[in-house]
Structures are given as structure tokens and as C-alpha cells.
Amino acid sequence: MQERMADALVGKKVVAVRVGDPVVLRALKPVDELLVGRTLRAVVHHGKFLVFTFDGLAMTVNPMLAGIFSVQPVGAKATKDTRLRLEFEGGTELRYRDDVRMGKVYVGIEAPGLADIGPDAGTLDWTEAEFSGRARAKRSEVRNLLQDQTFVSGIGNAYADEILWDAKLHPKRRVGSLTTDETSRFYGSLRSVIAKGLAEVETAMPAQLGKKPRAHMQVRGRAGKPCPRCGATIMRRRKGLDDVDLCPKCQPAPKGQLY
Ligand SMILES: [Zn+2]
């Protein structure tokens, strides 16, 4: 969705703003005053936040699981839960809907928590040494590290499983226990698995967008099937509220761990 919004709107100027409900807005001035006349330059995810960068100002949205964006022609019927509409030149409108008004839209002010969010996994530009240093500072288990939004953002359960399988690391290995080779594999797998995933998503038919393409997954969702690398049976384990899929042979458990 973020790519489609970017394709439709980046490079265009805001010509009008309609506020359906000021409750979701956080700004120091009326938002039309802040946004009209500015050109949208980028739309980027930072963890749970979506950041719209305009010339000289950012609009950051924390959808809180409730907010939904759409791009519509101006004049298309708007639903009651439409809280904010930005009309762009050329007759397209960005709409923000939120039926329970849990999300927040910050215009020209920083969203609380945004500064603590790590870089997006898809645009990571760390060197291996930088990755290693930052990872070690977290002192956590490798799977928790991948899902720690203050370390790197945007890695869900499925990609965490894929990265660890690719790197041949058990989810409960501690970052501090990794050898230099393992750290290197961990870094390489993080980069390559995410890059491959993004490429898959980009080439997926538009009709499939919205559904997450899973065909390229090697281990996620394949419990009971043979590991594509060694043939051992992939297992699914429970970790807190999450399911974890792994190969027991390629990803041996650290001493004292049952899985
Ligand atoms: Zn295996």
C-alpha cells in the first residue's frame, strides 16, 4: 500500500485539506495551513509508523491497528469514518479512515516513539561491523533481536523464521554466543532474505497485493514438510504468542534448550 501511495502521489502538491475529525490530529496550527502548497517527496514505513515527507515538513501517522489509507479520485464517496483527506493536484485524494479513532496523525511535530524506531529492514545501510556492534549491544536472543523494533523495524514472524533458517541459527541463540562466521551469516541472511522478499512482493500480480505472497518461503508455513536444504522435517514451535518454524537439523538448539 505504501508503494502504491508513493506511486500515485509523490511529486504532487497538496491543493486542499479536509478534516473529518480533529480528534485524530496532532498539530500546532490548522493542518490546511501546514500542508496546502507542499509537495509530497516520500512515503516510508518506520516500524508501525508511516511517514509522509513533504517539502520542509513531515506528517507521521501511527495507525494503532485501526487507521487505513486509500487513494481515491476527488469526489468519490467518502465513508463516515474518513478522518482526513488530502487533495493533491491532478484530482487524487489521500484518505485516512479510522472507525475507532485510535490512530493519530502528527503534522509538523514528531510522533512520540518515532525516534526510538530502528531503521527499516528493507533499506538497511549498516556495514557488517556496524550490524555486529549494534546487535551485541542488545544482548538478546537472535529471534527477539530481529523483532525488536528499536533495533531494526519491519521484520514480522515469517521473515524472522526465514532469516534464521537461511543463517542456520536457532531462534534461541544469544547474540553474544555467535561466532564471527555466524554473525557474518546472520547479517548476510538478513540482507538477502529481505531483499528477496521485497523483490517477490514487487513482482507479485497487483491482485495478490494485500495478501502476503508466501510462495518463496523456505521454512515458514512448511511445518511437517522436508527442509529444502537437508531434508529433515520442519517443526513448528510456540514462542510466547508466536509460532516459530525451524529446521531442527540446520538450526541446532543451544545447550539446555529443548527446541
Ligand atoms: Zn535443514
Side-chain angles (χ1 to χ4, degrees):
M1 187 58 216
Q2 158 209 359
E3 292 83 5
R4 276 189 284 176
M5 282 192 283
D7 285 349
L9 303 174
V10 164
K12 293 189 176 145
K13 202 178 272 183
V14 177
V15 294
V17 176
R18 293 175 190 88
V19 177
D21 189 342
V23 167
V24 302
L25 290 175
R26 295 291 180 272
L28 299 174
K29 280 185 185 177
V31 285
D32 53 345
E33 223 172 279
L34 290 167
L35 289 172
V36 170
R38 293 191 198 262
T39 301
L40 181 66
R41 295 300 175 193
V43 185
V44 180
H45 264 293
H46 286 289
K48 61 189 173 183
F49 297 97
L50 193 58
V51 182
F52 297 83
T53 307
F54 293 89
D55 288 330
L57 179 141
M59 177 174 90
T60 306
V61 183
N62 183 354
M64 297 288 285
L65 305 174
I68 301 166
F69 286 95
S70 63
V71 177
Q72 312 252 341
V74 173
K77 201 165 180 250
T79 49
K80 254 193 183 157
D81 57 0
T82 304
R83 309 298 175 193
L84 181 67
R85 292 150 75 175
L86 304 188
E87 182 184 335
F88 286 81
E89 56 188 349
T92 38
E93 199 168 68
L94 174 69
R95 294 182 179 178
Y96 176 71
R97 290 166 49 197
D98 179 349
D99 58 350
V100 288
R101 301 193 299 181
M102 272 171 66
K104 293 283 173 289
V105 179
Y106 302 87
V107 185
I109 53 176
E110 188 168 320
L114 179 64
D116 304 327
I117 296 283
D120 191 83
T123 55
L124 207 58
D125 60 357
W126 294 338
T127 62
E128 191 176 318
E130 206 176 345
F131 168 80
S132 170
R134 287 170 185 268
R136 275 163 201 279
K138 292 283 184 186
R139 300 170 165 275
S140 42
E141 291 174 359
V142 289
R143 196 172 193 282
N144 291 344
L145 180 76
L146 290 176
Q147 299 202 282
D148 177 348
Q149 303 284 305
T150 67
F151 177 66
V152 58
S153 60
I155 300 178
N157 274 314
Y159 280 100
D161 283 355
E162 290 295 307
I163 291 164
L164 294 178
W165 178 83
D166 194 75
K168 300 187 191 173
L169 293 175
H170 189 275
K172 291 196 170 176
R173 288 290 303 278
R174 291 203 161 266
V175 175
S177 80
L178 300 183
T179 64
T180 311
D181 277 0
E182 285 173 331
T183 305
S184 183
R185 283 206 315 259
F186 190 22
Y187 172 73
S189 297
L190 167 58
R191 302 288 300 254
S192 66
V193 168
I194 295 295
K196 221 165 33 178
L198 289 175
E200 288 285 335
V201 171
E202 272 166 27
T203 54
M205 297 298 289
Q208 290 175 291
L209 286 173
K211 272 196 291 175
K212 292 180 186 170
R214 285 285 156 83
H216 59 289
M217 299 265 163
Q218 307 290 314
V219 65
R220 183 66 180 186
R222 301 190 70 247
K225 298 201 172 98
C227 166
R229 189 164 46 207
C230 77
T233 304
I234 291 169
M235 8 181 258
R236 166 158 285 197
R237 289 289 176 265
R238 205 81 184 137
K239 187 176 185 296
L241 294 171
D242 298 333
D243 288 319
V244 176
D245 294 338
L246 74 158
C247 170
K249 203 168 159 200
C250 291
Q251 298 168 263
K255 269 203 180 92
Q257 290 291 348
L258 287 175
Y259 85 85

